[in-house]
Each structure stands twice: as structure tokens, then as C-alpha cells.
Amino acid sequence: MQHFSDGLSTLVLAYVVSVIGSLIGLACMARAQAEPGRAVKTRWTVFGAFAIGGVAIWLMHFIAMLGFDVPDASIKYSVPLTALSAVVAIVVVGAGLSLVTLVRFTKMRLLVAGTLAGLGVAGMHYLGMSAIRFRGEISYDRTLVALSFLIAVVAATAAFWFTLVVKTTAARLAAGLIMGVAVTGMHYTGMAAVRVTSDPTIPAPRGTSAFDLVFPVFVTSALVVAALLWMLFTSDDDALGEPV
């Protein structure tokens, strides 16, 4: 039986954060493509990985998980696994971005990059779910799990295509909205796959509550977003695309 509650306000906030992170990350990705030097390309690719992997994907997941609830159960989170899920998202997305920013663009590399980014979204989600501790167990509907992976890969690939092929401000905005759909759509499809079984015989969970993590997570995320925006708006060259 499923036991979770994701309110509309949480969904909207999660989606907005995902879109913001995606727009920043895709702007960094465009900047990486436009720059001639490999060192500068690498720097912008790393920035893009933090924006998409850390903000658009991981922070969105964290916000959405604030709505996760098991009635009459105390829910805790493993901090090491939660932190590892953020690292996985950033590293895998960075690997995907590097295939289209550090080497010559081809359709095959775009497909591989979108697949890697999509797998990063999904892998981060299920690794983050493994950090949950409560008196019970979580299992999944395999069909919905497969669908969640497919949504992430297809939408991430589409977002990359918009950014790399259609170089206008409107296209970049569309790419950010699509990437937001990839992340939130994957998350809520994955949550629909959740099956919770309570077991009062299991010892009381150890770990940290989600709300105890809110302050450090949001402060760190705000600093990352501020730093990325500062880098984008203080850089000399504008590779974000021309207005339509």
C-alpha cells in the first residue's frame, strides 16, 4: 500500500526550483559550447553539472520528499546516503554534459548525453529513497520504475537538443521547462511506484529528520545558485542566445 502525501504546493515549488536550476545549467552548457578554450569549456561544464545535478535534480528531490509521509511512523534519513545521492546526480550529469560541450557535437553523443543525464536523475532519486529509515520496508512497481527512467531520459535528451540546436532565448526557456518536466515527472512517477509495508517489530529508525536538514540544504543551495548567477552575469561574453 502507498503511504505518501505530495501536496500541490510542494509539487509547484519543486517544479519551479527544478526549472530555475535547469535554466542556469543549460545557460552554462551554452556558454561552454561557445567558449574556444578547453579549460574554460570545462569550467562552464562543471558549473552546469552543479546547476542541473545539484539544484534542478537533487534540490527538487529534497523539496518533493518533504511531502513524503508514512502515517503513524517516524521517518529518518541517512545523511551519508542523502549526500551521496547529490554527488551521484552532479557527477553523472557532468559526464553527460561533457559529451556535448567538450567534444564535437553529434546526434549520437546527444543521445548518450541525454541518456546519462536521465539516468542521473533516476539514479539519484532511487539512491535518495534508499536513505529513508522507518519501521517498515519500501518496494516498487517495476513497470512504473521503468517508466520513470524512460521519462527522465527522453525529456533530458529533448532539453539538451533544444539548447544545442535551437539557439534562441525562447528555445532555451522551453528547454528549461522541459528539463523541469523530466525531473519532476520522473520523481512523481517514481513515487507512484512506491509500495510501503509497515513492520512495528523493526527497531526505531536512526538518522536525521528531513526538516532538520532543511536549513543547511537551503543555505548551501542558495549559495550555489547565487555563485552561478554571479558567474553568468559578470562574464564578458553572452552565449545565452539572441532574443526571438
Side-chain angles (χ1 to χ4, degrees):
M1 183 180 294
Q2 299 181 48
H3 293 283
F4 60 90
S5 174
D6 286 309
L8 180 60
S9 60
T10 303
L11 168 60
V12 171
L13 179 58
Y15 178 72
V16 169
V17 167
S18 182
V19 170
I20 291 172
S22 296
L23 288 173
I24 296 173
L26 293 172
C28 292
M29 185 177 171
R31 186 67 60 85
Q33 263 212 319
E35 295 289 351
R38 187 172 182 82
V40 180
K41 284 179 177 290
T42 300
R43 184 182 69 187
W44 282 111
T45 299
V46 170
F47 291 162
F50 271 92
I52 296 175
V55 178
I57 296 176
W58 187 84
L59 183 57
M60 186 291 312
H61 170 82
F62 180 84
I63 292 172
M65 288 307 297
L66 294 176
F68 181 83
D69 177 55
V70 178
D72 302 320
S74 173
I75 298 177
K76 302 291 184 181
Y77 288 83
S78 165
V79 173
L81 280 178
T82 300
L84 179 61
S85 68
V87 173
V88 167
I90 293 169
V91 171
V92 176
V93 168
L97 292 181
S98 68
L99 291 177
V100 291
T101 59
L102 301 183
V103 295
R104 186 173 61 86
F105 170 72
T106 65
K107 291 181 179 179
M108 179 57 66
R109 284 173 178 156
L110 173 64
L111 291 175
V112 175
T115 300
L116 276 176
L119 293 178
V121 175
M124 179 285 309
H125 173 83
Y126 290 105
L127 180 57
M129 291 297 294
S130 72
I132 296 174
R133 302 286 184 265
F134 69 103
R135 285 182 167 175
E137 296 181 352
I138 291 178
S139 58
Y140 297 93
D141 180 301
R142 294 183 179 180
T143 300
L144 288 176
V145 169
L147 179 60
S148 70
F149 273 84
L150 180 62
I151 290 172
V153 170
V154 171
T157 303
F160 284 2
W161 182 86
F162 267 96
T163 298
L164 296 169
V165 178
V166 188
K167 300 182 182 296
T168 65
T169 301
R172 297 272 159 71
L173 177 59
L177 295 174
I178 291 171
M179 185 67 86
V181 170
V183 179
T184 54
M186 183 274 135
H187 173 85
Y188 285 98
T189 302
M191 292 307 296
V194 170
R195 302 293 182 267
V196 173
T197 303
S198 297
D199 185 355
T201 65
I202 294 177
R206 294 183 178 182
T208 306
S209 70
F211 288 97
D212 288 336
L213 295 173
V214 166
F215 181 75
V217 165
F218 275 81
V219 168
T220 302
S221 300
L223 291 174
V224 169
V225 169
L228 292 171
L229 287 174
W230 183 82
M231 291 296 298
L232 281 170
F233 286 108
T234 58
S235 183
D236 292 332
D237 297 324
D238 185 1
L240 303 185
E242 298 297 328
V244 176

